[in-house]
Amino acid sequence: MRYALLTHPTVWYLSNSNILSFMPLIANSITKNKSLFVSLVVISQFVLAVVPLRAEVLSTNLTASESATQTLEITKIKRSLDAREADEIEELNESEKGKEELKKPGEAADKAGNLCPSQLPRSIERVVNQYGRSQWGILVTNLKTNQVLYELNPDQFITPASNVKLLTSAAALHQLGSNFRIRTSVYDRPNDRNTGLLSNPDNSLVLVGRGDPSLDNAQLQRLGQQLENKGRRNINLLLGDDSYFQGEMFNPYWAWADIQSTDAPPVSSLIINQSYVTLSLVPQKLWEPLRLNWSDELVANQWRITNNSQTSRSGSTVDVDFSPNNNALRISGSLGVNADPEEVYLPVLEPSSYVVQRFQAELKKLGINVNQTQAPKSRSPLVIPSNSSEVAAVESAPLANLLVEMNRESNNFYAEMLSRQVGKVATGDDRNWVAAVGESLTNLGVDPQGYKIVDSSGLARQNQVTPRAIVQTLQGMSNSPEATAYRNSLSLAGENGTLRNRLKNIPGNFWGKTGTLRGVVALSGYLDVPSYDPLVVSIIVNNPQQSTTTLRQGTDGIVTQISRLQACSN
């Protein structure tokens, strides 16, 4: 299945000369690997720059000789179908027969004994030196004494990917506290002068969202049950109020390809089910259009749909384009008559309207009739009269629980929503989240010159952080009253989260945060080893010419070497 790349200012194109310049390398790679994954790159003044898109050349069946004469087609975007970062995506086909096995950095040294601190630099550098022109940033310190055990470019800015979430979660705990909960309320009698629709305000309700990222259908059902228990059977008008957050739904620094995936979620204070739905494209009779099956038909009404797809004898390519600016959804291409349905994940473009409609449907199940619904698009707050009252409410789990989803599973949506909470609580305006996060980090002892962040999830490549800033964040949180909640939000290597299948055999325990973008791998956290003091580790590597799997083997190899540390007498 293919996904269309729409025109966007951040899209860079490969010229024919650039493609031809890669042909010898491509031919050699095909000869060795048969299956080819090539990140899109642009050569400008002999400098390789990463295209800010999750784009790649898909597998090709060309032989080495054919590749030298045939133009390589750059396919449409291969889009991630996971709402979190691409930590679990393996770029190499591990089961492919004849594949040359990669020697994991540090693998031979794993069989050796423990390391004295004086031996650690050489051991790490043996791993780093296997990666040629990669940009590394590494800092290893003693958590108790702050002594530096190893450093490599610790003050150099580098793209950190989802390691940004370490900063976001630290600021959230510092500003909000681990017991902070987010309340979603239903009030009676909204002010009719703000709606222009209300003729009888005595039997009308307003649903007020305050940015709960975990709000789901079950919580809407609980709100409905509370209304049912109070004898509400008929509601004249149900309104939605999403004015708690005033910032943009989509971060302007996100690549268009990410917006067209589940990696870049829309942000709103009244939102449900992380604001994504599933569209299944189902083959029909020969030459008929593919049938569109929505996980929730309520969302279909938000799109202006053009379905030019068809069911073919053996087709296997479907293009899905959408534009959030005009709600246009275009489907073309074909699927074979006997092909399995294809699934597409789409954002909810009018989240507050969708939540109100979803709530209306839940109320109907309980026998509560709603005559009319409205969700203001202007984000202007509804004035709740002083004589109105809260008639139903639900709360999120404590912040400590929300951060487990955010950090362990690297949930971008939770990160973006919770950073808005920090801005709202600290300054009264969620649009000030960058300054609010910065103030919290400064109070934790993090040098403000050590980071430049433009989003709170790490998806934007414009984020720049030094390893020292990450280590300072980890050290600051270890001395915070929220130290336990912070550490518990991280993945435990070999046990859970994005580290569940990594670093299973190291001595001791590693609680860490992963980070992955195309050409970027990061790994930072707390390392407790049996024969040495607790450590703080930050490892970030950028190299657009290396696969994620290869770079990840490097970061894991370094942590493996560090885990061998022991106290030595001299």
Side-chain angles (χ1 to χ4, degrees):
M1 183 173 184
R2 298 189 299 177
Y3 300 93
L5 172 62
L6 302 183
T7 302
H8 187 267
T10 59
V11 177
W12 301 348
Y13 294 95
L14 289 175
S15 67
N16 291 335
S17 60
N18 286 334
I19 295 173
L20 290 175
S21 68
F22 282 103
M23 295 307 273
L25 174 62
I26 293 170
N28 182 57
S29 298
I30 294 174
T31 301
K32 289 184 177 181
N33 298 311
K34 302 295 183 185
S35 178
L36 176 64
F37 292 85
V38 180
S39 297
L40 292 182
V41 294
V42 176
I43 298 181
S44 176
Q45 299 179 349
F46 305 101
V47 177
L48 290 174
V50 179
V51 179
L53 299 174
R54 303 270 182 88
E56 61 184 359
V57 179
L58 299 182
S59 301
T60 175
N61 294 320
L62 299 179
T63 65
S65 59
E66 289 172 333
S67 68
T69 57
Q70 184 170 343
T71 301
L72 185 65
E73 178 189 5
I74 304 301
T75 67
K76 308 266 179 130
I77 292 173
K78 181 186 178 186
R79 182 166 34 145
S80 169
L81 299 182
D82 186 76
R84 294 131 181 93
E85 68 176 17
D87 277 324
E88 298 301 322
I89 295 176
E90 291 296 339
E91 295 175 326
L92 301 179
N93 185 355
E94 300 295 344
S95 63
E96 183 181 352
K97 293 182 179 180
K99 173 183 172 294
E100 181 180 355
E101 290 295 329
L102 292 171
K103 180 180 179 181
K104 295 182 179 180
E107 191 174 67
D110 288 349
K111 300 176 182 179
N114 291 337
L115 289 173
C116 293
S118 61
Q119 297 173 302
L120 182 62
R122 184 176 179 182
S123 182
I124 293 177
E125 286 159 9
R126 279 200 297 265
V127 177
V128 170
N129 290 340
Q130 296 182 47
Y131 287 84
R133 296 170 59 187
S134 298
Q135 179 189 10
W136 288 90
I138 306 174
L139 183 59
V140 183
T141 67
N142 187 310
L143 181 59
K144 291 182 177 180
T145 66
N146 291 338
Q147 176 190 4
V148 175
L149 299 177
Y150 181 81
E151 61 181 20
L152 176 63
N153 303 321
D155 298 306
Q156 180 173 300
F157 280 122
I158 191 167
T159 303
S162 278
N163 265 205
V164 167
K165 293 184 177 78
L166 288 170
L167 279 63
T168 306
S169 53
L173 282 170
H174 181 267
Q175 177 64 49
L176 306 174
S178 57
N179 293 319
F180 178 80
R181 294 173 184 261
I182 305 167
R183 191 174 184 87
T184 302
S185 304
V186 178
Y187 291 91
D188 65 3
R189 300 189 63 190
N191 191 326
D192 56 320
R193 287 175 296 181
N194 286 328
T195 67
L197 295 175
L198 197 56
S199 59
N200 177 18
D202 292 331
N203 194 27
S204 300
L205 301 174
V206 56
L207 177 63
V208 179
R210 298 184 180 91
D212 180 1
S214 64
L215 190 67
D216 58 16
N217 291 337
Q219 287 175 293
L220 291 186
Q221 291 170 4
R222 288 173 53 199
L223 289 173
Q225 288 165 356
Q226 292 175 45
L227 294 176
E228 181 186 31
N229 293 338
K230 293 186 178 182
R232 305 301 285 262
R233 290 293 178 267
N234 189 66
I235 298 170
N236 181 53
L237 176 64
L238 176 63
L239 299 104
D241 185 340
D242 66 348
S243 62
Y244 192 75
F245 289 165
Q246 292 289 314
E248 296 180 84
M249 283 206 304
F250 292 100
N251 190 301
Y253 290 94
W254 287 342
W256 191 251
D258 292 321
I259 292 176
Q260 284 197 307
S261 76
T262 56
D263 288 324
V267 175
S268 170
S269 54
L270 185 57
I271 211 160
I272 190 174
N273 300 330
Q274 301 189 46
S275 207
Y276 275 94
V277 294
T278 304
L279 171 62
S280 296
L281 308 175
V282 185
Q284 301 299 295
K285 294 180 181 179
L286 194 61
W287 311 127
E288 289 184 355
L290 301 176
R291 187 176 76 244
L292 310 184
N293 287 350
W294 295 85
S295 59
D296 192 335
E297 290 292 339
L298 291 174
V299 179
N301 297 328
Q302 295 188 3
W303 294 99
R304 296 189 299 107
I305 302 173
T306 303
N307 183 5
N308 293 323
S309 66
Q310 68 176 6
T311 305
S312 62
R313 297 187 188 280
S314 58
S316 60
T317 301
V318 177
D319 294 337
V320 178
D321 321 346
F322 75 82
S323 172
N325 295 328
N326 58 14
N327 293 24
L329 176 64
R330 296 177 293 277
I331 304 165
S332 58
S334 63
L335 287 178
V337 65
N338 296 318
D340 293 330
E342 293 280 1
E343 287 191 345
V344 182
Y345 290 81
L346 294 173
V348 178
L349 298 183
E350 299 174 11
S352 59
S353 176
Y354 173 57
V355 176
V356 172
Q357 292 175 356
R358 185 72 263 158
F359 190 33
Q360 180 186 24
E362 295 298 335
L363 292 174
K364 185 177 181 180
K365 294 177 184 178
L366 297 170
I368 301 175
N369 180 60
V370 177
N371 295 328
Q372 193 175 8
T373 65
Q374 180 189 4
K377 295 183 179 181
S378 64
R379 292 196 176 183
S380 57
L382 294 174
V383 178
I384 309 298
S386 58
N387 63 341
S388 66
S389 60
E390 184 183 69
V391 293
V394 291
E395 288 189 334
S396 71
L399 178 63
N401 298 50
L402 301 180
L403 292 181
V404 169
E405 172 66 21
M406 171 181 153
N407 281 337
R408 283 190 194 174
E409 304 303 330
S410 205
N411 190 315
N412 292 342
F413 176 69
Y414 274 55
E416 298 297 333
M417 292 283 279
L418 292 176
S419 67
R420 298 287 188 93
Q421 290 289 346
V422 174
K424 181 70 174 181
V425 172
T427 72
D429 191 333
D430 65 291
R431 291 170 291 189
N432 297 328
W433 71 266
V434 174
V437 167
E439 182 178 357
S440 289
L441 292 175
T442 298
N443 291 335
L444 288 168
V446 182
D447 184 355
Q449 301 302 313
Y451 57 90
K452 300 175 183 177
I453 56 175
V454 298
D455 73 12
S456 48
S457 60
L459 186 60
R461 289 186 177 272
Q462 292 85 345
N463 291 313
Q464 296 288 288
V465 177
T466 67
R468 193 179 304 279
I470 293 177
V471 167
Q472 288 173 343
T473 301
L474 291 161
Q475 288 174 328
M477 286 305 298
S478 71
N479 297 318
S480 163
E482 305 294 353
T484 299
Y486 187 68
R487 181 179 289 227
N488 287 344
S489 75
L490 305 178
S491 296
L492 178 58
E495 294 291 336
N496 54 46
T498 56
L499 285 173
R500 63 176 62 88
N501 295 318
R502 295 168 60 183
L503 297 167
K504 291 182 177 182
N505 299 319
I506 63 170
N509 294 308
F510 180 70
W511 290 269
K513 180 71 200 77
T514 57
T516 308
L517 290 172
R518 186 69 57 195
V520 177
V521 168
L523 184 60
S524 302
Y526 301 105
L527 179 60
D528 289 352
V529 295
S531 304
Y532 203 79
D533 289 341
L535 304 171
V536 181
V537 178
S538 181
I539 307 167
I540 310 174
V541 56
N542 289 186
N543 187 335
Q545 294 178 298
Q546 295 276 8
S547 72
T548 298
T549 298
T550 302
L551 295 177
R552 188 179 291 138
Q553 289 172 354
T555 59
D556 290 9
I558 291 172
V559 172
T560 299
Q561 296 308 302
I562 300 171
S563 71
R564 297 168 53 209
L565 270 176
Q566 69 174 1
C568 299
S569 57
N570 50 29

